[in-house]
Amino acid sequence: MATTGADRITLEIIQSSLQAISDEMFAAFRKTAMSAIIYEVLDMGTAITDGEGNLGSSGAGIPAFVGVLDKAVKRIIEVNDAPGEIRPGDIFVTNDPFYGGVTHLNDVVLAMPIFAGDDLIAWTANIAHWNDVGGMVPGSISNEAKEIFQEGLRLPAVKLISEGKPIKSVMEIMKCNSRLPDYLQGDMWAGIAAARVGERRILELVAKYGLDTFVSALRVFMDYGEQVARRTLEGLPKGTFTLEEEQDSGAVYSVTVRITQDEFMVDLRDNPDQDPGPNNASRDGSLVAAQMVFMNITDADSSANAGHFRLLTLLTRPGSVFDARPPAAFATYYEVEIRLYDLIWRCLAPHLGDRLPAGSFGSICGTFIGGPHPDTGRHFTIVEPQVGGWGGSAFRDGNNAMFSGFHGDTFNCPAEVAEARYGLFVDRLALNDAPGGEGEHRGGKGIVLEYRVRANGCFFTCAYTRNRHRPWALGGGREGSPNRAEVIRADGTVEAYAVVTALEVNEDDVIRIHTGSGGGYGDPRRRPRELVLDDVRNGLVTEEQARVVYGAVPNDRGVQSR
């Protein structure tokens, strides 16, 4: 395609328009989805790629999903490479990590090719968590799965819409394999609508500015992304940095990061073999974790695109936990990838000055509760990632009650919506006052959340990390507090869990979730006295903690000298 002579202002307008289109796709998806995990929590993402699947622009939603969609589109192109297989009006679906799904079977990708005449010029794509895609347990998330066949329906980059017409047989197979077919169908059509909105807006851009200008705008902005990353890389310390870290399971994960003038290399080859259960990541999923850290330290304010990641190299070993081979299970991939994200972060933090804070609560804390709704008798499944505390930094305390940096631009489900849509009561939502995360700048606080079950025969599934090994501190701060869950039975007995699958819970049982505080930054005794007093007044620190940890004694007049 010939290079256009369009001015840079026009190219910038096109790129800003692509960002707006991604955001409009996101809004369309959110407003039409059936499931609260999509329209309230925003467990979703949207993107535009060029015709070859290179990421051009991304919408809002989960940062970890930003890097999924370009990889999914490239695999869809690879699988459907026969002449004439990809046509205008088509929409493809995939959820399988071995066919471009990247994450796990619950995260379903819809991708639509955009044609200008005979030229395939772009793709619109979206991804969202669907509540149930079949498998051995409700919600399709099992800590006991041994292979992907047990986790639900696999959609291997197949066509869902052909030249604008739905393929009914594929849709019926998808619905038949879900315990929540109405929700699956509603969320599917919401994703289709979002992809089509993107197609319409892109074709309007092409009609207004011309095809050559549109293609040039994509290329120029990707080149700009590389320039931004390269300038930042030049200012980073050069060298090779290595870290090993034991996980709650006892497995030891390791990473080596090499930073040179022209490359940011992440080496994951020296890691355990793939897990016999569902604690695995695909190579593309591991790449997403590395890309997110790369964005954090190069330019977190810029829109991610393919050019920004040209300097990033990932090395993995096929058959390892970070590059699992068939028929590996992937249900809890998110805990593996957030552990990798945190591992790279922890490896680099001591070497990058004050650029990175201490460790966060560092878990998705995915919570799955379901069963018969007491009012309707219909099956329900609640899918809830949880918020927790971020680590303190050289400049300020960590944020309280925020999603992890990996899970990102999302929201917790309001209590009113949870109670209306699910067979539960939300009895409590408060900051977690457990000790941990003390420092000159303390770690942010996690939460305590209580769900009271309203019917017999319900289930509870979770897989929390940072339970045994707590959020790490920096500069003399203290470790954060653990993530954990309790089930308080109606008779008053208490059971403690970090990992459990389809545990039976019944009427008036309470599921109490504790998410951790982030690690502290700096010696707690350097914390200003007035801030310690504020923490005591706000219930974030007890008087004994103020005295013992911070060396300050609260009284009616304030905090006495240390």
Side-chain angles (χ1 to χ4, degrees):
M1 197 96 35
T3 302
T4 181
D7 61 89
R8 298 194 65 85
I9 293 177
T10 299
L11 298 178
E12 181 66 31
I13 290 172
I14 293 174
Q15 182 57 44
S16 296
S17 297
L18 290 174
Q19 185 64 53
I21 293 169
S22 296
D23 291 340
E24 186 178 359
M25 291 164 56
F26 188 91
F29 203 166
R30 178 183 185 180
K31 290 178 179 179
T32 55
M34 282 281 287
S35 300
I37 184 65
I38 299 176
Y39 69 75
E40 288 288 352
V41 178
L42 306 185
D43 198 333
M44 55 182 289
T46 59
I48 296 168
T49 77
D50 66 13
E52 298 176 348
N54 298 303
L55 184 64
S57 181
S58 61
I62 297 177
F65 281 175
V66 168
V68 165
L69 292 171
D70 59 332
K71 300 165 184 60
V73 169
K74 288 180 179 180
R75 185 71 169 122
I76 289 169
I77 294 171
E78 180 183 353
V79 171
N80 298 275
D81 64 347
E85 186 66 23
I86 300 174
R87 300 184 61 81
D90 289 349
I91 294 181
F92 295 83
V93 60
T94 187
N95 69 343
D96 192 315
F98 300 118
Y99 290 87
V102 177
T103 55
H104 61 179
L105 297 185
N106 285 85
D107 295 332
V108 181
V109 175
L110 297 174
M112 184 174 190
I114 313 301
F115 284 83
D118 294 329
D119 294 324
L120 174 55
I121 61 168
W123 290 74
T124 59
N126 58 71
I127 181 173
H129 185 106
W130 290 8
N131 285 340
D132 192 291
V133 291
M136 62 192 295
V137 297
S140 311
I141 301 293
S142 173
N143 296 295
E144 299 170 1
K146 302 299 182 184
E147 54 186 13
I148 195 169
F149 304 107
Q150 298 173 307
E151 297 183 314
L153 178 66
R154 301 174 67 185
L155 299 165
V158 295
K159 195 176 293 188
L160 182 65
I161 305 284
S162 179
E163 298 183 80
K165 297 179 180 179
I167 303 175
K168 185 177 180 181
S169 58
V170 176
M171 293 185 176
E172 291 303 313
I173 290 170
M174 292 165 62
K175 289 169 59 180
C176 186
N177 278 274
S178 175
R179 298 171 182 85
L180 299 167
D182 293 346
Y183 285 88
L184 182 147
Q185 180 172 256
D187 295 339
M188 175 188 68
W189 279 107
I192 291 170
R196 286 173 167 172
V197 165
E199 178 200 34
R200 185 165 64 250
R201 295 290 184 248
I202 288 174
L203 292 179
E204 289 171 356
L205 267 184
V206 172
K208 183 174 182 178
Y209 294 103
L211 180 56
D212 287 356
T213 302
F214 173 82
V215 172
S216 292
L218 280 172
R219 185 182 64 251
V220 166
F221 199 72
M222 289 181 191
D223 291 343
Y224 172 72
E226 179 183 353
Q227 293 169 12
V228 169
R230 189 175 295 278
R231 283 198 299 269
T232 307
L233 201 61
E234 290 173 354
L236 295 180
K238 307 303 185 292
T240 300
F241 314 104
T242 299
L243 179 70
E244 291 187 346
E245 182 185 70
E246 184 179 6
Q247 307 304 306
D248 287 351
S249 65
V252 176
Y253 291 171
S254 66
V255 64
T256 295
V257 179
R258 185 177 71 237
I259 302 175
T260 68
Q261 197 75 8
D262 300 304
E263 184 183 42
F264 185 95
M265 186 273 292
V266 177
D267 189 345
L268 303 177
R269 290 174 294 182
D270 186 19
N271 272 291
D273 291 342
Q274 63 193 54
D275 185 67
N279 299 302
N280 291 297
S282 66
R283 187 187 188 282
D284 281 343
S286 298
L287 179 57
V288 170
Q291 286 177 330
M292 290 183 61
V293 176
F294 188 68
M295 283 293 292
N296 291 151
I297 64 175
T298 53
D299 186 10
D301 296 326
S302 287
S303 175
N305 64 51
H308 201 101
F309 301 122
R310 288 172 184 165
L311 305 182
L312 172 63
T313 300
L314 177 71
L315 303 178
T316 60
R317 177 175 63 85
S320 68
V321 67
F322 296 123
D323 189 357
R325 302 285 90 184
F330 288 90
T332 51
Y333 86 93
Y334 46 86
E335 291 300 330
V336 178
E337 289 185 18
I338 197 171
R339 294 272 49 79
L340 174 56
Y341 172 75
D342 196 52
L343 179 73
I344 301 171
W345 188 294
R346 187 177 186 178
C347 176
L348 292 175
H351 308 289
L352 298 186
D354 55 12
R355 190 183 293 264
L356 296 176
S360 74
F361 75 109
S363 173
I364 302 300
C365 290
T367 305
F368 306 85
I369 309 169
H373 197 293
D375 299 330
T376 66
R378 295 184 64 186
H379 179 86
F380 76 91
T381 298
I382 180 172
V383 182
E384 275 281 278
Q386 304 297 343
V387 294
W390 285 30
S393 72
F395 310 105
R396 51 163 290 173
D397 294 343
N399 293 324
N400 300 321
M402 294 287 287
F403 281 110
S404 69
F406 191 82
H407 208 258
D409 193 10
T410 49
F411 299 91
N412 59 318
C413 187
E416 297 84 355
V417 173
E419 292 188 340
R421 295 297 297 270
Y422 308 118
L424 304 165
F425 287 130
V426 181
D427 285 349
R428 182 186 181 199
L429 177 58
L431 290 179
N432 187 355
D433 61 1
E438 297 84 8
E440 179 180 4
H441 295 117
R442 63 167 177 80
K445 293 293 183 178
I447 62 166
V448 178
L449 172 61
E450 294 181 356
Y451 289 115
R452 181 154 45 96
V453 180
R454 294 178 54 206
N456 291 327
C458 293
F459 74 90
F460 167 54
T461 295
C462 72
Y464 300 174
T465 54
R466 284 283 176 233
N467 173 260
R468 285 202 310 117
H469 295 281
R470 302 181 179 187
W472 45 275
L474 280 174
R478 297 198 175 187
E479 288 184 339
S481 61
N483 301 305
R484 60 193 181 93
E486 296 172 312
V487 175
I488 300 96
R489 299 294 183 179
D491 63 4
T493 58
V494 180
E495 304 165 10
Y497 298 98
V499 178
V500 68
T501 298
L503 177 73
E504 183 174 340
V505 288
N506 295 300
E507 185 176 4
D508 287 331
D509 289 346
V510 173
I511 300 167
R512 180 183 293 158
I513 296 158
H514 304 255
T515 64
S517 60
Y521 193 108
D523 186 344
R525 290 181 175 263
R526 294 204 304 265
R527 185 167 179 80
R529 289 175 295 171
E530 61 273 13
L531 294 183
V532 177
L533 178 58
D534 285 344
D535 289 343
V536 173
R537 286 173 173 166
N538 293 327
L540 302 177
V541 171
T542 66
E543 291 194 8
E544 182 169 352
Q545 285 177 295
R547 181 175 61 256
V548 174
V549 179
Y550 291 103
V553 183
N555 58 31
D556 293 339
R557 294 164 298 182
V559 179
Q560 293 181 352
S561 64
R562 305 169 199 249

